[in-house]
Amino acid sequence: MTGPRYTQLVASLPATVPFVGPETQERTRNRPFAARLGANENLFGPSPKAVEAMAKAARDIWMYGDPENHDLRHALAAHHRVELENIVVGEGIDGLLGYLVRMLVGPGDAVVTSEGAYPTFNFHVAGFGGTLHKVPYRGDHEDPEALIARARDTRAKLIYLANPDNPMGSWHNAETISRMIAAIPDGTLLALDEAYVELAPEGTAPAIDADDPRVIRMRTFSKGYGMAGARVGYAIGEAGLITAFNKIRNHFGMCRISQAGALAALQDQPHLADIRAKVAAAWDEIGRIASANGLVALPSATNFVTVDCGRDGSFARLVLAELTARDIFVRMPFVAPHDRCIRVSCGRPEDLARFAEALPEALAAARG
Amino acid sequence: MTGPRYTQLVASLPATVPFVGPETQERTRNRPFAARLGANENLFGPSPKAVEAMAKAARDIWMYGDPENHDLRHALAAHHRVELENIVVGEGIDGLLGYLVRMLVGPGDAVVTSEGAYPTFNFHVAGFGGTLHKVPYRGDHEDPEALIARARDTRAKLIYLANPDNPMGSWHNAETISRMIAAIPDGTLLALDEAYVELAPEGTAPAIDADDPRVIRMRTFSKGYGMAGARVGYAIGEAGLITAFNKIRNHFGMCRISQAGALAALQDQPHLADIRAKVAAAWDEIGRIASANGLVALPSATNFVTVDCGRDGSFARLVLAELTARDIFVRMPFVAPHDRCIRVSCGRPEDLARFAEALPEALAAARG
């Protein structure tokens, strides 16, 4: 009586988790957090119209969701002025990145990303046996030229770039990204993760050319729209590439309630404008709190602010541990030199007040 | 400027869809269905407590769901008297089957299923390059002995069996399944899809031995619990196998609202008992309607009844088309000889009344 025979690849993989959730930490600590500021969530929440649409859809949950995500894709196509065939909806950008990697990357295929960029992308590349090539950031920014150069050198099938960036909150303007797209080597696809772009300054996202086969844009309802728990991401790309997702995706993978909520959220653009204003106010407030404690808040185009703790990674890890001990959930970048920072979500005034109260004590204890 | 380079495997796949959704048909017809009886959904709906829990959770949708699905897994472990480590939650059984196939099946690996069984499983096997070996049903039942024999002959890594069965509604008792498990060849895993088992007679499911490395049990909130749109499936198996899902699954793939709804649904077992009674009444009513029209309803242990239209597949396809023309959504088995049948969900009295009204006309037109 033996166990199952895994593929060689899967047998070789570690059982890693890209991120430990706050609930896991709360169970370990046996105490809830007082401020949930570590998961890049949008504490201002979704449109009330989306909440209403979801509550209504809950009563119809006996029905499968539309596997074509037609109504949502139709609305997204109109919103972005592209065709229905240019849009695929999936279980968050995480889910779509998994499908995309599966479509392109087999054992030994080269993939390029930045050292310290989104771990879940790396998780998928490893999961399909790809070879990851990582280029360093240039200061606190991802480095488009270095990514392109490495892709050329390695004949990469896929490049990953997040604009705005996670975990640094930095961003490039549309011209820089357009130059990058123009330089993509033949046979390489750019996965341009624009999860945070609704919160970025005007001029951050290049105009969408949905027929460009060199780039696939990833968007989500998790950040600006405040619906992380709904798991609704979408990708915009050339129709052939988008159709290819149908070869492998979990066609009935989308929650019906989430479909309804995302549609209502998209239709409430005034709420998104309100969120933008609240996030901007939180940027300022986190900046003020950082300054008051002798720290430097980095400029942000996202719903979090990366705060430079001014020393090395060991010190920032101590600060984070002391904040955790004071019931403040934050996270930090994984690799040096960015691990000198902690990353704080754009919370409501009451959340940031708790952070402001805990930070001086945490710093004192860490310095102690 | 070229397009992306797909893997050889993905390039070779067709862009198939395992099932065309009723919404797609409604868009094509440009007319809604009057009775939605084709997707094996539970028209009696979920527990009102689940609906309430989901409406409440909608307000918290700005938070990601717990990637460990801890509370739901904890409740499921208690319900099934297994350990937390024996349970993985995923995006429906469809999602879990995809992960399972990915873990075990690479190009050319042998997999055994029944001719005419669940197409979504076949979709996943093809999607990872596995070689499907299909054995015929024995009458209207899947054939455990033939599945085992073929697995032995082909050194299969994986066997798929649904008990109760879709699309025939038939079932084996626990003793038959236990004998099958005892006969599983070394190094083969049985994926025992028990999606419908909450609706089956007592004695259909063998006792769960979660430490048995030869079998993984698949369960869902889509059928008995009436929450198909929520996409919550789970698997029960040996801890090593269950942990291996963490190597590849979309850790943040579950909708937070669905997690809350499933937990509340599980805790409302009286509602499930009520559903069982309503489904049993619908079995009888569909049987009565079939008889009244000179057709034979096959015995069912599921939330649908497979109705033998008495001639060949061409005739049944005509009946189905005529029902569709009369706004009744039903489906039918894909392969002969089962395609002599149509498959009707256990609707509410008003749904079945519409079916009863349309069927004589549809039959007359088909006999035409």
Side-chain angles (χ1 to χ4, degrees), chain B residues 190-274:
Chain B
L190 171 64
L192 179 56
D193 183 342
E194 298 184 315
Y196 298 95
V197 81
E198 290 90 357
L199 303 168
E202 291 296 321
T204 300
I208 291 175
D209 173 6
D211 296 326
D212 188 338
R214 298 170 301 183
V215 56
I216 183 167
R217 317 275 285 255
M218 301 280 187
R219 302 283 181 101
T220 181
F221 285 86
S222 297
K223 306 302 177 181
Y225 292 102
M227 293 176 54
R231 314 317 299 129
V232 187
Y234 60 102
I236 311 172
E238 188 270 322
L241 173 60
I242 294 304
T243 304
F245 280 83
N246 286 331
K247 296 179 170 192
I248 59 158
R249 72 185 179 91
N250 184 6
H251 287 266
F252 285 85
M254 291 300 299
C255 174
R256 187 179 180 94
I257 296 173
S258 300
Q259 291 173 326
L263 183 59
L266 184 71
Q267 287 163 346
D268 190 356
Q269 292 294 314
H271 180 78
L272 181 60
D274 183 50

Side-chain angles (χ1 to χ4, degrees), chain B residues 347-362:
Chain B
R348 298 159 298 184
E350 60 268 36
D351 304 304
L352 297 185
R354 291 190 191 108
F355 173 64
E357 192 186 329
L359 184 60
E361 297 172 21

